């Protein structure tokens, strides 16, 4: 599917008001009076015409309008074709090369690329009505959600920032200044990635929640505690039993058990049930309060990274 800008019948030279963008549902080639943003030009034209005529200036028109007007005056045939897939446009407006992992920040501006890069290829399968969603412990669901690239990018973002909390109960990042069960972590807002994370929750996590915990709707999901945890022997290797202050919690594994670290995992005490064979890019989703008292199991070697959000506190 391609798009055509400015159908012949509504076009008036010199005004933008009449430009119409429409999707062509069939494939073909259309003669158009105006093209913008991105185009391919036959190089022989550049040799053939006098540059005083073939240029980007005419009256008070914008450069793209002037260029097309000059081409029309020269009787150059302008057309749009979707017979070949040329790819798609990237919006460079907010691309910030000063960020570590700038692509991760593109969830709003280049949604399609973001999804291709960062969402797990099996994500849509979780909604297949013929498929039974994995439930390693009672009411603990397990879904593929993000790609390996997402996991390494998020770890890079956090390690480049580097200011891991000290694991004490005093935490100035929190409203009350106190964290009862502290982890060594970095919050999403410390790396300027909170709005992006919330969009990810709304767009990709919320539908999974609605799919398995029927009848609970909260759109957009609210989440004040969004962070990456680092478990490491000699630093903080485990987390004592606790409840999360959330309606539901998501816990995304970011690296590989057995390769990057040994030990680790999450144990749900009421059910005496542990999830230890966690997989990078897979998310655990469980109720936060009352039933799902849990602990982070001891990491004996290497570093374990997880991404946590307490949704709807
Ligand atoms: O280590 C885990 O998987 C559990 C982490 C956790 O419970 C938390 O951060 O609240
Ligand atoms: Fe927890």
């Amino acid at each position: 599917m391609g798009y055509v800008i400015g159908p012949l019948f509504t076009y008036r030279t010199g005004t933008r008001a009449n430009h119409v963008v429409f999707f062509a549902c069939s494939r073909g080639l259309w003669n158009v009076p105006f093209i913008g943003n991105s185009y391919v030009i036959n190089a022989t034209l550049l040799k053939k015409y006098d540059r005083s005529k073939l240029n980007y200036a005419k009256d008070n028109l914008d450069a793209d309008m002037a260029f097309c007007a000059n081409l029309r005056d020269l009787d150059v045939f302008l057309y749009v074709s979707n017979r070949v897939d040329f790819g798609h446009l990237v919006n460079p407006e907010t691309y910030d090369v000063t960020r570590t992992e700038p692509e991760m920040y593109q969830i709003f501006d280049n949604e399609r690329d973001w999804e291709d890069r960062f969402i797990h290829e099996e994500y849509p399968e979780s909604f297949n009505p013929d498929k039974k969603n994995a439930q390693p412990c009672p009411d603990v669901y397990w879904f593929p959600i993000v790609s390996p690239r997402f996991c390494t990018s998020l770890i890079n973002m956090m390690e480049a920032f580097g200011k891991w909390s000290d694991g004490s109960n005093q935490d100035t990042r929190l409203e009350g200044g106190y964290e009862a069960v502290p982890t060594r972590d970095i919050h999403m807002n410390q790396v300027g990635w909170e709005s992006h994370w919330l969009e990810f929750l709304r767009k990709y996590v919320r539908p999974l929640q609605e799919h398995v915990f029927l009848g609970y709707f909260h759109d957009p999901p609210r989440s004040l505690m969004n962070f990456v945890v680092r478990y490491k022997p000699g630093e903080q290797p485990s987390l004592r039993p606790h409840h999360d202050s959330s309606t539901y919690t998501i816990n995304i594994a970011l690296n590989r058990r057995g390769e990057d670290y040994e030990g680790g995992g999450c144990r749900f005490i009421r059910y005496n049930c542990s999830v230890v064979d966690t997989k990078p890019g897979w998310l655990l989703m469980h109720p936060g309060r009352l039933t799902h008292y849990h602990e982070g199991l001891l990491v004996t070697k290497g570093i374990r990274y997880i991404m946590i959000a307490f949704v709807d506190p």
Side-chain angles (χ1 to χ4, degrees):
M1 187 179 288
Y3 62 85
V4 178
I5 301 169
L8 290 166
F9 23 90
T10 59
Y11 185 81
R12 262 191 296 126
T13 312
T15 63
R16 269 177 194 281
N18 287 332
H19 294 176
V20 178
V21 177
F22 66 89
F23 284 88
C25 293
S26 54
R27 294 216 169 233
L29 185 147
W30 294 265
N31 177 208
V32 291
F34 174 75
I35 50 179
N37 288 328
S38 174
Y39 45 82
V40 179
I41 187 161
N42 185 333
T44 57
L45 282 181
L46 303 174
K47 295 204 189 86
K48 186 167 161 193
Y49 293 104
D50 178 355
R51 288 304 178 88
S52 69
K53 295 201 176 91
L54 182 69
N55 59 37
Y56 293 92
K58 187 184 175 76
D59 308 326
N60 289 326
L61 298 176
D62 287 351
D64 55 351
M65 299 283 286
F67 185 54
C68 291
N70 287 335
L71 287 169
R72 292 194 304 273
D73 290 348
L74 292 167
D75 274 336
V76 173
F77 183 58
L78 309 184
Y79 62 93
V80 169
S81 169
N82 63 3
R83 294 183 306 170
V84 178
D85 186 357
F86 295 103
H88 61 277
L89 293 176
V90 166
N91 173 2
E93 293 291 304
T94 63
Y95 197 84
D96 183 355
V97 292
T98 67
R99 298 273 192 202
T100 305
E101 305 294 341
E103 298 288 4
M104 284 282 272
Y105 293 79
Q106 291 296 305
I107 188 167
F108 296 107
D109 299 290
N110 288 290
E111 289 172 68
R112 175 170 160 188
D113 288 320
W114 197 92
E115 185 163 315
D116 288 348
R117 288 192 176 101
F118 297 125
I119 293 298
H120 199 292
E121 55 188 15
E122 287 161 39
Y123 171 78
E125 259 302 288
S126 294
F127 299 97
N128 179 347
D130 298 330
K131 200 182 148 153
K132 211 167 169 308
N133 298 109
Q135 204 178 155
C137 299
D139 281 331
V140 177
Y141 287 94
W142 211 6
F143 304 107
I145 181 116
V146 290
S147 66
R149 182 167 168 186
F150 178 102
C151 299
T152 51
S153 295
L154 190 53
I155 293 172
N156 280 346
M157 278 161 67
M158 294 314 184
E159 287 295 358
F161 177 70
K163 296 186 184 121
W164 297 91
S165 61
D166 61 8
S168 73
N169 296 112
Q170 271 60 51
D171 192 338
T172 50
R173 297 169 302 176
L174 308 179
E175 213 163 87
Y178 185 85
E179 170 57 63
V181 191
T183 43
R184 302 279 181 155
D185 54 42
I186 294 173
H187 288 207
M188 292 308 157
N189 57 13
Q190 293 179 277
V191 293
W193 199 62
E194 184 153 272
S195 60
H196 311 78
W197 171 255
L198 292 175
E199 173 66 2
F200 167 78
L201 283 185
R202 188 192 66 76
K203 193 165 171 189
Y204 300 105
V205 175
R206 180 185 54 86
L208 292 172
Q209 173 270 300
E210 290 177 3
H211 186 62
V212 291
F213 291 112
L214 297 183
Y216 179 76
F217 300 98
H218 206 246
D219 186 12
R222 226 165 61 84
S223 186
L224 306 170
M225 298 275 284
N226 307 293
F227 51 92
V228 171
V229 180
R230 179 166 90 174
Y231 290 107
K232 193 176 169 180
E235 195 179 77
Q236 176 170 355
S238 64
L239 186 62
R240 70 174 170 81
H242 63 281
H243 286 109
D244 296 332
S245 58
S246 68
T247 300
Y248 65 93
T249 293
I250 63 163
N251 177 337
I252 305 179
L254 297 178
N255 62 348
R256 296 161 305 176
R257 179 178 187 257
E259 305 216 19
D260 302 315
Y261 65 89
E262 278 165 29
C266 189
R267 187 168 93 93
F268 297 90
I269 294 152
R270 180 179 165 87
Y271 309 102
N272 189 22
C273 179
S274 301
V275 187
V276 288
D277 56 339
T278 55
K279 296 182 277 250
W282 283 62
L283 157 163
L284 291 170
M285 180 183 284
H286 61 83
R289 297 197 180 83
L290 206 59
T291 50
H292 285 64
Y293 192 53
H294 60 284
E295 65 182 328
L297 298 171
L298 188 74
V299 171
T300 52
K301 199 172 158 192
I303 305 181
R304 175 181 179 230
Y305 295 97
I306 54 175
M307 163 75 228
I308 297 278
F310 299 152
V311 186
D312 298 338

